Amino acid sequence: MRNLVEWLKREGGLRIIEEPLDVELEIPHVAYLEVKKGEASRPLLFTRPVWRARGIEYEMPVLMNLYANRELTEKILGRHPDEVAVGIEELMKLKPPKGLKEKLKMLPKLFALKNVFPKRLGFRGECQEIVIPSEEVDLDRLPILKTWPEDGGRFITMGQVYTRSLDGTMQNLGMYRLQQYDKRRLGMHWQIHKDASHFFDQYRDAGKKMPVTVCIGGDPLYIWCGQAPMPHGMFELLLYGFIRGRNAQLVKSLTNDIYIPRDVDIVIEGIVDPEAMEIEGPFGDHTGYYTLPEPFPVMEVETITMKKDPLFAATVVGKPPLEDKYMGWATERIFLPMLKPMAPDLIDYNMPENGVFHNLILAKMEVHYKGHAQQFMHAFWGVGQMSFVKHAIFVGKEAPDLEDYPALARHILDRLDPAKVLITEGIVDQLDHASPQTLVGGKLGIDATGPEVPKAYEELLSDRELLEKMQALAPEIVAVKQYMRESANPVTVIAIEKERSAKEVIDLLEPLARYLAVLAVVDAGNNDLDNPYMLLWRIVNNIDAQRDIFLQPFVAIDGTNKDANDGYMRHWPGDTHCDPDVLERLREQGIVEYSSKDLVRWGLIPFDLYGEKPE
Ligand SMILES: Cc1cc2nc3c(=O)[nH]c(=O)nc-3n(C[C@H](O)[C@H](O)[C@H](O)COP(=O)(O)O)c2cc1C
């Protein structure tokens, strides 16, 4: 790991912060602000973490923002993710060779494949140099972070969770957050659709306790592998071997039969009793909302082992952009060839960071027949973690680059035809808060692969004129902003001081249909109509397509927070916000820099604390 620090200094401009900073809020807030710098963001090493509430000073540094930007992500992978994807595609297209010449040509590829399979070593790893026996286990001794003020406690945020099927034939690596309950118990937040949860079901059904080993650190590629959506039954470290061109070297955990990489920094081994669930959360998640407290399995720690000089790797999740944007970018690129067998005419796809991956996917395809885009929608919604995607927009091959968002938005709006919008139902990510019930919710598919459509409005007004007319019908409307006015379907965003359901407000606006094509409604209290990046984040997060999208007399989208007036009977969670005092303190110490513009731009603190909105 010392090598990693040197490597990060050289390749990633590692910033070393030597001031003592609290694991509660201070360190996470610094990392949160760092990743907002985009490509300029750097990895961070906090050499003096402290836990003031408990009077603990840690010797173990905290390493954050490892996947600081695209360039560093590429360096961690060793090559551009598109190149990895090409390798995977080649592998998938491998055909039996004809004749000696072809056989010889294939040899290097086959030879490289021998690196894919993890190697089990018969001795202890560096990660087992220090062994903390059961009676001395104390999770307080690890610099575990509390990210957000309303988090239910401290959470390990970059834990590699290694599990095994009951019959021992399958091993899995998944990245799941882990809540620290006390000195020896961790909450296992593997969601119901994930592989470790499937293994857990096997142990529960057999009435057996489940061994789990959690690793922290080591080669940063393990972290990426942990979040990679590999098909069920495939060990993620196969992908490690494929990308590195070197087998993952594994050693046996000391108290169970789970094999883990020899070079990780910290290993937490334990047992999960399927009978003992405990409330997990709340936790400010990568949706930018707190996930609600729910029961999850609990691990009783048996032993902790570590390297001599371990580093504690962690990340921050909250509102985008986040570190997972870069991991997600690599995943998106690398998994493209794996999507193609089920959707062969898929050219490319993109998951915008402000759509927090499962809330919005853009896909480019070659269209060969009527209903082709619909066929793809169903394929996506039916397979693996793609099935979490709430909103999918398909464009044809002539569409602009999928990352050229302004041009693409225009292209889509010029082809938006309510007759080609599919609204249906399916599974949603367990984190989704918008659906009327957990796990199942609305899905929206837009087929924008067709020709341009005629203008969907009769006349456009200025924002001011439109606001006046709207206020005459619904006084709770406080602001209007129109986007993409030159397109066939201009988008009018209105902010309301919500007192009744937004649907009632939308209905009241019917007399103004001649001025409207697409209307999006948001709450005035926590949205800035001049910030399309965060508006998109908010709207795709907050809507359940079946409840919140209306196609007549104009397309209307209710992106407001929901309550009983909307028939929403769950608890609507709050946004993640930094603690303003902590931010101010960090700024006074010269550790972070931010302007009042940044506060607004990234929604760092609640809107009512901004004071005057900066220009
Ligand atoms: C920073 C980060 C935190 C995550 N936390 C969780 C989590 O707490 N629970 C979960 O089920 N998935 C979480 N995920 C997503 C999983 O890692 C991802 O779905 C992975 O593919 C799961 O692996 P599996 O299919 O082997 O279960 C997280 C991803 C990232 C990048």
Side-chain angles (χ1 to χ4, degrees):
M1 279 314 264
R2 292 296 148 216
N3 288 345
L4 178 65
V5 169
E6 288 312 312
W7 186 85
L8 285 172
K9 276 190 204 163
R10 203 173 56 239
E11 305 289 340
L14 179 74
R15 180 177 166 207
I16 299 179
I17 298 168
E18 288 171 340
E19 288 84 352
L21 288 181
D22 206 318
V23 291
E24 291 200 2
L25 306 186
E26 286 185 351
I27 290 178
H29 281 14
V30 177
Y32 192 55
L33 288 186
E34 183 65 29
V35 75
K36 306 285 179 209
K37 295 179 187 165
E39 279 304 300
S41 107
R42 292 155 58 185
L44 303 172
L45 187 71
F46 298 89
T47 54
R48 294 179 63 194
V50 297
W51 189 7
R52 289 202 191 97
R54 295 277 166 97
I56 299 178
E57 292 181 12
Y58 295 100
E59 280 173 21
M60 192 184 298
V62 175
L63 179 60
M64 298 196 70
N65 209 27
L66 252 167
Y67 285 80
N69 52 53
R70 281 195 179 185
E71 193 186 335
L72 192 56
T73 302
E74 204 176 315
K75 286 180 178 172
I76 291 174
L77 291 168
R79 56 205 149 126
H80 193 282
D82 282 339
E83 282 179 46
V84 179
V86 168
I88 291 179
E89 193 154 19
E90 278 176 7
L91 200 63
M92 291 171 71
K93 288 187 177 156
L94 221 59
K95 287 199 186 76
K98 285 190 200 125
L100 184 66
K101 209 166 154 200
E102 278 195 20
K103 272 188 190 150
L104 288 174
K105 239 170 101 185
M106 193 183 269
L107 270 183
K109 272 187 201 141
L110 293 180
F111 195 66
L113 275 187
K114 75 172 184 10
N115 298 322
V116 168
F117 301 99
K119 200 180 249 173
R120 293 185 169 191
L121 308 173
F123 46 85
R124 282 195 183 187
E126 301 86 298
C127 61
Q128 293 160 329
E129 280 168 346
I130 296 173
V131 179
I132 299 170
S134 175
E135 59 283 7
E136 288 172 32
V137 163
D138 179 0
L139 291 167
D140 284 356
R141 302 304 314 167
L142 296 178
I144 301 173
L145 307 179
K146 177 178 173 182
T147 311
W148 299 110
E150 290 163 43
D151 279 356
R154 306 201 309 167
F155 288 79
I156 296 177
T157 52
M158 265 192 166
Q160 305 155 34
V161 179
Y162 292 85
T163 47
R164 237 163 80 102
S165 60
L166 180 64
D167 64 8
T169 57
M170 287 191 259
Q171 186 163 330
N172 190 69
L173 160 60
M175 192 189 323
Y176 319 115
R177 69 173 189 242
L178 309 158
Q179 179 168 3
Q180 184 197 347
Y181 289 124
D182 51 38
K183 287 178 186 294
R184 15 185 345 122
R185 287 180 325 126
L186 287 173
M188 304 279 108
H189 188 258
W190 50 60
Q191 292 153 16
I192 195 161
H193 305 115
K194 306 297 171 73
D195 287 344
S197 175
H198 303 323
F199 290 170
F200 172 80
D201 292 347
Q202 297 173 355
Y203 286 88
R204 188 201 49 213
D205 294 349
K208 291 199 168 149
K209 291 188 178 174
M210 175 181 180
V212 177
T213 299
V214 176
C215 298
I216 297 168
D219 185 332
L221 191 55
Y222 301 138
I223 293 170
W224 179 82
C225 289
Q227 58 79 63
M230 286 290 271
H232 178 65
M234 283 183 83
F235 189 23
E236 283 69 8
L237 291 186
L238 292 166
L239 201 49
Y240 174 91
F242 181 79
I243 296 174
R244 272 279 173 275
R246 198 173 64 222
N247 322 74
Q249 307 239 321
L250 308 184
V251 294
K252 198 178 99 49
S253 303
L254 297 188
T255 60
N256 62 45
D257 291 331
I258 295 173
Y259 278 76
I260 50 165
R262 66 187 285 180
D263 62 329
V264 291
D265 285 73
I266 302 158
V267 183
I268 307 171
E269 299 179 15
I271 292 283
V272 170
D273 178 354
E275 297 301 314
M277 304 283 273
E278 191 152 331
I279 295 295
E280 198 268 3
F283 176 75
D285 217 310
H286 82 133
T287 54
Y289 283 82
Y290 283 91
T291 42
L292 302 175
E294 260 191 271
F296 272 90
V298 182
M299 172 169 123
E300 184 86 30
V301 179
E302 302 247 289
T303 185
I304 298 180
T305 73
M306 52 182 91
K307 279 181 175 165
K308 282 211 184 82
D309 294 310
L311 298 180
F312 188 86
T315 190
V316 174
V317 289
K319 292 173 188 163
L322 299 165
E323 187 179 357
D324 70 0
K325 140 183 180 176
Y326 301 107
M327 287 188 271
W329 166 67
T331 308
E332 176 200 285
R333 300 291 81 212
I334 291 172
F335 278 72
L336 176 60
M338 297 190 226
L339 286 175
K340 285 198 175 167
M342 60 139 192
D345 297 306
L346 180 70
I347 298 168
D348 198 4
Y349 75 116
N350 175 260
M351 301 179 122
E353 67 201 47
N354 46 344
V356 293
F357 308 111
H358 48 266
N359 287 340
L360 182 62
I361 181 173
L362 308 165
K364 192 186 271 196
M365 61 182 290
E366 193 139 4
V367 182
H368 291 306
Y369 39 81
K370 205 170 147 189
H372 204 164
Q374 278 204 9
Q375 185 188 32
F376 273 28
M377 290 168 199
H378 292 295
F380 276 49
W381 290 329
V383 172
Q385 295 190 37
M386 266 295 171
S387 53
F388 301 154
V389 168
K390 290 206 296 181
H391 312 112
I393 306 180
F394 289 82
V395 292
K397 65 176 177 191
E398 71 294 345
D401 186 279
L402 295 181
E403 285 198 43
D404 183 354
Y405 297 127
L408 190 69
R410 171 76 199 264
H411 182 91
I412 293 166
L413 292 169
D414 280 342
R415 287 160 183 78
L416 177 64
D417 175 357
K420 289 192 172 174
V421 172
L422 174 68
I423 296 178
T424 178
E425 192 178 67
I427 67 161
V428 291
D429 192 290
Q430 197 164 1
L431 299 180
D432 184 70
H433 64 271
S435 52
Q437 53 176 317
T438 55
L439 304 175
V440 171
K443 301 278 191 188
L444 170 80
I446 298 179
D447 175 359
T449 60
E452 290 193 11
V453 295
K455 283 194 169 98
Y457 60 90
E458 286 175 39
E459 190 188 337
L460 288 187
L461 300 177
S462 71
D463 289 347
R464 201 174 43 79
E465 286 167 324
L466 196 54
L467 178 62
E468 265 172 31
K469 286 193 188 297
M470 285 183 162
Q471 282 178 330
L473 298 169
E476 60 261 73
I477 300 175
V478 295
V480 172
K481 168 117 186 163
Q482 294 169 88
Y483 285 96
M484 297 267 157
R485 282 168 60 97
E486 66 292 349
S487 76
N489 279 282
V491 178
T492 304
V493 189
I494 62 172
I496 62 170
E497 302 282 3
K498 190 171 170 179
E499 276 161 12
R500 50 185 158 179
S501 86
K503 174 67 169 87
E504 287 175 67
V505 177
I506 292 167
D507 288 344
L508 289 171
L509 298 182
E510 214 176 308
L512 304 183
R514 59 187 306 197
Y515 310 114
L516 298 170
V518 177
L519 176 76
V521 190
V522 296
D523 292 296
N526 56 4
N527 293 291
D528 175 3
L529 294 199
D530 293 320
N531 187 343
Y533 179 96
M534 292 310 280
L535 282 174
L536 182 103
W537 162 77
R538 175 78 71 189
I539 292 169
V540 292
N541 239 321
N542 270 7
I543 58 176
D544 174 85
Q546 282 187 314
R547 183 193 53 218
D548 300 325
I549 296 194
F550 313 96
L551 299 176
Q552 293 302 333
F554 39 80
V555 174
I557 307 164
D558 174 5
T560 60
N561 293 357
K562 306 299 181 308
D563 57 27
N565 286 330
D566 307 288
Y568 181 90
M569 305 317 282
R570 299 164 67 192
H571 174 77
W572 191 271
D575 298 15
T576 52
H577 287 122
C578 297
D579 180 318
D581 296 333
V582 172
L583 281 186
E584 193 47 39
R585 198 161 65 230
L586 291 167
R587 179 154 72 170
E588 277 166 12
Q589 283 177 271
I591 295 169
V592 296
E593 278 177 20
Y594 59 87
S595 62
S596 36
K597 217 171 166 176
D598 295 330
L599 288 180
V600 179
R601 185 166 168 218
W602 305 122
L604 296 179
I605 61 173
F607 272 43
D608 48 5
L609 300 184
Y610 287 157
E612 198 67 7
K613 185 180 151 190
E615 273 311 298

